[in-house]
Structures are given as structure tokens and as C-alpha cells.
Amino acid sequence: VLVESLVVFLIVLLVHAVVWDRYSWCAVALAVQAFYVQFKWDRLLQLGGAVFQFRTAANSGLLPASMVIPLLGIAMKERCKAAGIVYFERFGIVVASAGMLLALFLSVIAVGITKPVPTNTCILTGIAGSIIIYTMKHSLTVSEVIEVLEVLLIFVYLSMILLYLLPRCFTPGEALLVLGGISFVLNQLIKRSLNVIEGRGDPIDFFLLVAVVGVVLLGLFFTVLFMFMDSGTWISSMFFHMMTAVLGLGVIMPWLYRLIQRNPLFWLLQFLFQTQTRVYLLVYWTFLAASACGVVFYQNTKRSSESKKHQASTITRKYFHFIVVATYVPGLIYDRQLLYVAAVLCLAVFIFLEYIRYFRIKPFGQTLRHLLSLFLDERDSGPLILTHIYLLLGMSLPVWLFPRSCAPKGTLPGAGALVPYSGVLAVGVGDTIASVFGSTMGEIKWPGTKKTFEGTMTAIFAQIIAVALILIFDSSVNLNSSYAWILASVSLVSLLEAYTTQIDNLLLPLYLQIMFMA
């Protein structure tokens, strides 16, 4: 925990040194108080005193999770300020402020339920909160303050509902990241739905917002419904499929139509088959998806009746990382907009299939349970299997969060040109190589962990080689001699991978993106 915290502090200080304004000072204050409160959360988890049931095989992860959203907002603000895009500069400030407020909310909860009340931690939390609120008071307009409070309100309600319905699926830090992200998406969708201006906004952004909110609302609806009826019967399964069609065609499609001002299905078909390059990419991705399914079926056929408890090895699970890298790299080079939309569709399909598995919806629910049980690890301790969804999110978030409006030529200068590749580098290359080499050839373990020095070093080396290959094959990338910053970024994120107990597929790409954007 101490080394993980040290790495996060170094990243915060590096961003602070580059930005050096009142928001980065607020980030430093937030990091200091989150470091102290993290130990209170860890103690609550060990004693079973937390309000909800969290994932037990990890620490609370409050510090690394608390800094992600504020640092993303600060980095976005600086990039858009340099590009002269005032609207998104202000949006970056709103993101940073809301992220700090969400982290403070979790901190206050931990301090409030800790007995006896930790005096020193209370004082630190009060000081950090005062600094952040004072900065917000002198930085945000009234409408921006309302927007920040809306995000906080949505987060509170989502936390109470989802953490109750999904015990042991998240640590407090992972809940902050996932539920905070959903809160932002829902708030943006409501805001844009109430202020629709024809011709304003990119349809692919609206597609992401509606898809995420749609699948979340679908899950909440069926969770409440199946509290009162058995989800495993044929009648329930027919009702599930029928209501999915009704909600999709009767709610989600009209909502999307209102935002993009055209038929969503016709727009999607026209978008997917607009150019010959897109057709080639879709055929190629279909082949890779079939290959991934083939790996799942092949590994299950190897599972004999005598080895019911047999689990797929780490190297076997990393096959999917290689497949994902092979999926994303051509999309990043040839057509990022298509990759953006395809990733949204894939996320919606993954979550929908998880609903089918979780609710045991016929005819595929039980089959999915059997097939996916082979690939479970200690992080899938709750009722949901989220590892594959986290892998998709880790690869896609840098593409979705790339500030396109602040990059007129489609790319950012310097290390910022590598922002869309953050997921590929951190998870697809770094995490995969570290795991494979560390488990097969690693001998020198990092103190206090199962991760090895050899695995981390080979991960850094592999990511540097990957950056060189990106420079060769992607002509839009121009690093402008920012090689030392890239090496420092990759090294810090690789060290974070060695020490964090959080979901690395989600955390590492976001930190690498923050470093590249800064």
C-alpha cells in the first residue's frame, strides 16, 4: 500500500509541476488526505465495519482511485486551454471539481463510521475539503456548481442501489471509479437531452451516452423485477427478451433519435459501411471475435470431468489481451471513429450477455455460466463476472476520453499523441508481458507482492518497443522529443501495476492517459 501510494504521489506531483495552478494544488491536498483516509477504509474492511460488502482480496484503493477523475479533468483543462477551446476548458474544470467532491464524500463516510473518531484524519479531511470548496467557490459559475452537485447526487443514489444489489463486486476505490463514471455519463445525457440543438454535438458521443445509460437502466429494471419472480424459467426468459426489445425500441431508440435528429439504426448502418476500409476492419474484427470464442470453447473442452475445479492459467487468460491488441491497433491507425462506435457496441453486448448469465436467462444463461467459470480469478468474488468488461473498458476509455475537440488535427502534440494508445500500451502490452514473463521466468519478487522485478522490467522494455512501432506505422504520431516523459510515464505505471491490488485493467490505462495528456 505504501509503495502504491508513493507511485500515485509521484504522478500527482509530476502533473502538479507541469500545471502549477490552484487546481493542481487542490489535487495535492486531496492526495494527502486520501492517503490517511485510505488506512481508515482498510481497517473498516478488515473488521467488517463498512456499510456495504466490498471485494475482500484487495485493499480499499481509495488514494489511486480518488486521483483519477480530478487529474483527468486538470489534464483536459490544460490541453483545451492551449487549444483555445473555452467550452471544454470549463468542462475540464467541472470534471476535476466533481471528481474531488466525490472523493471527499467517500472520505467523509469512512471518517464518520470509524470508531473512535480519528481526530488527525478529521482535521486533514477538513483542511483539504476547505481548500477544494474555497477554490470551487472562486472558480465555478452557478450553473457549474449545480452540475457538480447533480453528479454528486446521482453518485450517492447509484452507490446506495448498486453496492446493495452487487455485494463483493467492487473495492471502495473501484466503486468510486465505476459509479463516478456512470454518474458523469448520466448527468451529461440528461443535460444534453434538455438542451438539444440541431446540428450541435457529435452523434458518436451521444451514442456512447445513451448506450451506457441504457444498459445500466436495463440491469436495474430486471434486478428489481426478478426479486419477485424466478428468472430461470422459460416464461421469465421470454419476458426478459420481450421487455429488452420494448425498452430498446420504445425508450433507447427514441432517446437517441431526439439527440442525433435522425433514425439511429439507419445512421449506424450508414456509419459502419461508409468506406471500404471500415468494411475490411469489420470483417477482420469478426474473425478475431470468432477466434476469441474458439479459445473459450477449446479451453472448456480440455476441462475433464475429473478436474471440475480446474481454472485457466494466467498465460491462457492473456490470450485475450493479445487478441484485444490485435483488434485495437488497426482501428487506432486507420479509423478511430469506427473503433469508438465498435467499442460502444461491444460494451453493450458484453453487459447484456452478463445479464443473461447472471439471471440464468434461457437458452444461453446456464451455458455462459459454465463456459466463463473456467476464466474466473480472485477478483471475480461477487455475483458478476467483470474482468472481461474491465479489459474492454481499459482499452476503450482512452479512445472515448480523448479530447477530439481540443485536437483540431486529430492528434495532440508531443506525448499527447499517444493518449488513444494508453490502453494498448498499459494493458495490452505492459500488463500482458509483465504477467507472462513474470510467471515463467521471474525470480526476484518485489517486496510484499507476488509480482517480479523481471516482469516489470520486461513490461517497460516492451512498451518502449511498442511506442517505436507506433511511430513507424502511425504517421499522425509526432512525439516532439518528449521521450524522457514517455519513459517516466511508462515506468511509473508499470511500477503501479506491480503493487496495486485494484483492477489493473481499469486503473493503469487511465493513469498512463493522464501522464501523456499532462
Side-chain angles (χ1 to χ4, degrees):
V1 174
L2 290 174
V3 178
E4 178 190 54
S5 302
L6 178 63
V7 173
V8 174
F9 267 120
L10 284 173
I11 293 173
V12 172
L13 291 175
L14 284 172
V15 174
H16 174 54
V18 172
V19 176
W20 200 269
D21 64 6
R22 52 187 169 182
Y23 307 106
S24 62
W25 279 109
C26 287
V28 173
L30 180 68
V32 172
Q33 75 85 30
F35 173 74
Y36 280 91
V37 175
Q38 179 172 253
F39 290 100
K40 307 306 174 189
W41 263 115
D42 290 343
R43 187 165 176 270
L44 286 169
L45 295 178
Q46 290 168 4
L47 299 176
V51 180
F52 299 104
Q53 296 183 57
F54 291 100
R55 191 161 64 87
T56 56
N59 67 320
S60 64
L62 186 65
L63 173 59
S66 294
M67 302 316 301
V68 168
I69 299 176
L71 291 180
L72 272 174
I74 291 170
M76 181 188 298
K77 172 187 74 71
E78 287 300 301
R79 287 293 184 176
C80 295
K81 182 180 179 181
I85 311 297
V86 177
Y87 175 82
F88 285 101
E89 179 189 347
R90 299 302 304 175
F91 181 69
I93 294 173
V94 170
V95 170
S97 302
M100 292 178 190
L101 213 58
L102 296 182
L104 278 175
F105 173 76
L106 269 191
S107 299
V108 169
I109 287 180
V111 171
I113 61 179
T114 300
K115 303 297 180 186
V117 176
T119 307
N120 294 337
T121 308
C122 281
I123 293 171
L124 275 173
T125 302
I127 293 172
S130 300
I131 293 171
I132 291 167
I133 291 172
Y134 178 82
T135 303
M136 288 172 58
K137 179 178 180 293
H138 289 83
S139 304
L140 301 179
T141 63
V142 174
S143 62
E144 289 170 344
V145 170
I146 293 173
E147 188 172 352
V148 169
L149 293 177
E150 286 170 353
V151 173
L152 178 61
L153 186 64
I154 294 169
F155 176 78
V156 171
Y157 280 106
L158 273 180
S159 299
M160 289 192 296
I161 296 170
L162 293 181
L163 292 179
Y164 172 74
L165 294 175
L166 304 174
R168 304 180 308 281
C169 284
F170 309 102
T171 64
E174 292 160 7
L176 174 60
L177 276 181
V178 174
L179 301 183
I182 295 173
S183 302
F184 270 107
V185 168
L186 182 54
N187 178 67
Q188 284 299 305
L189 182 57
I190 294 171
K191 178 183 173 183
R192 298 190 188 194
S193 298
L194 295 175
N195 298 285
V196 175
I197 300 175
E198 189 171 356
R200 183 174 178 180
D202 194 330
I204 66 173
D205 291 329
F206 294 134
F207 187 64
L208 171 64
L209 296 176
V210 173
V212 171
V213 173
V215 292
V216 171
L217 293 178
L218 198 67
L220 289 174
F221 174 79
F222 285 117
T223 300
V224 173
L225 179 68
F226 289 137
M227 285 181 177
F228 304 100
M229 57 190 298
D230 183 10
S231 62
T233 64
W234 273 107
I235 294 177
S236 298
S237 299
M238 291 293 291
F239 188 72
F240 173 88
H241 295 301
M242 182 179 68
M243 286 305 299
T244 300
V246 169
L247 291 172
L249 297 175
V251 178
I252 295 174
M253 287 297 174
W255 201 347
L256 192 55
Y257 179 86
R258 170 175 167 77
L259 291 168
I260 67 175
Q261 301 294 310
R262 68 191 83 169
N263 187 300
L265 289 177
F266 290 158
W267 169 81
L268 183 60
L269 289 173
Q270 182 184 10
F271 178 87
L272 292 177
F273 300 102
Q274 195 169 17
T275 65
Q276 197 170 24
T277 303
R278 291 185 176 180
V279 175
Y280 290 150
L281 282 171
L282 289 172
V283 171
Y284 171 66
W285 289 340
T286 303
F287 168 74
L288 289 178
S291 302
C293 294
V295 171
V296 173
F297 287 119
Y298 174 71
Q299 291 296 326
N300 274 273
T301 56
K302 289 175 62 177
R303 179 164 55 174
S304 63
S305 58
E306 292 84 17
S307 57
K308 295 285 186 184
K309 296 183 180 179
H310 171 70
Q311 294 297 114
S313 66
T314 300
I315 296 178
T316 300
R317 284 199 292 268
K318 296 305 174 184
Y319 287 159
F320 298 103
H321 286 236
F322 287 119
I323 291 173
V324 169
V325 170
T327 301
Y328 274 72
V329 170
L332 287 168
I333 293 174
Y334 294 111
D335 198 327
R336 291 182 186 178
Q337 282 199 323
L338 178 65
L339 180 64
Y340 187 113
V341 172
V344 174
L345 287 172
C346 196
L347 176 66
V349 169
F350 273 22
I351 296 176
F352 183 71
L353 289 176
E354 181 57 23
Y355 290 158
I356 291 176
R357 187 206 66 84
Y358 175 65
F359 293 122
R360 305 189 310 279
I361 300 299
K362 295 179 182 296
F364 303 113
Q366 203 60 43
T367 303
L368 284 172
R369 285 196 167 213
H370 175 74
L371 291 174
L372 296 180
S373 64
L374 179 66
F375 300 95
L376 295 177
D377 61 15
E378 69 278 359
R379 294 174 295 186
D380 292 311
S381 56
L384 296 184
I385 300 177
L386 298 172
T387 310
H388 59 298
I389 297 175
Y390 284 139
L391 175 60
L392 178 65
L393 283 174
M395 301 292 287
S396 304
L397 282 173
V399 179
W400 294 339
L401 298 177
F402 179 74
R404 298 191 310 278
S405 301
C406 303
K409 296 180 180 179
T411 184
L412 296 172
L418 292 174
V419 165
Y421 289 95
S422 300
V424 171
L425 292 172
V427 175
V429 177
D431 182 41
T432 304
I433 296 297
S435 182
V436 172
F437 278 82
S439 60
T440 55
M441 297 188 296
E443 295 183 0
I444 305 172
K445 293 188 182 297
W446 289 106
T449 76
K450 297 179 181 179
K451 306 294 179 67
T452 64
F453 175 80
E454 294 89 344
T456 303
M457 291 299 107
T458 50
I460 295 172
F461 185 63
Q463 288 176 82
I464 297 302
I465 293 175
V467 170
L469 292 173
I470 290 169
L471 277 171
I472 293 171
F473 290 102
D474 191 344
S475 58
S476 66
V477 175
N478 182 12
L479 301 181
N480 295 336
S481 303
S482 52
Y483 302 108
W485 183 267
I486 292 170
L487 179 60
S489 304
V490 165
S491 301
L492 282 172
V493 171
S494 297
L495 191 59
L496 183 62
E497 186 274 334
Y499 274 94
T500 188
T501 56
Q502 305 305 297
I503 299 292
D504 49 8
N505 289 349
L506 187 62
L507 199 65
L508 301 183
L510 292 172
Y511 268 107
L512 193 58
Q513 177 175 2
I514 288 166
M515 291 295 288
F516 286 161
M517 284 181 67

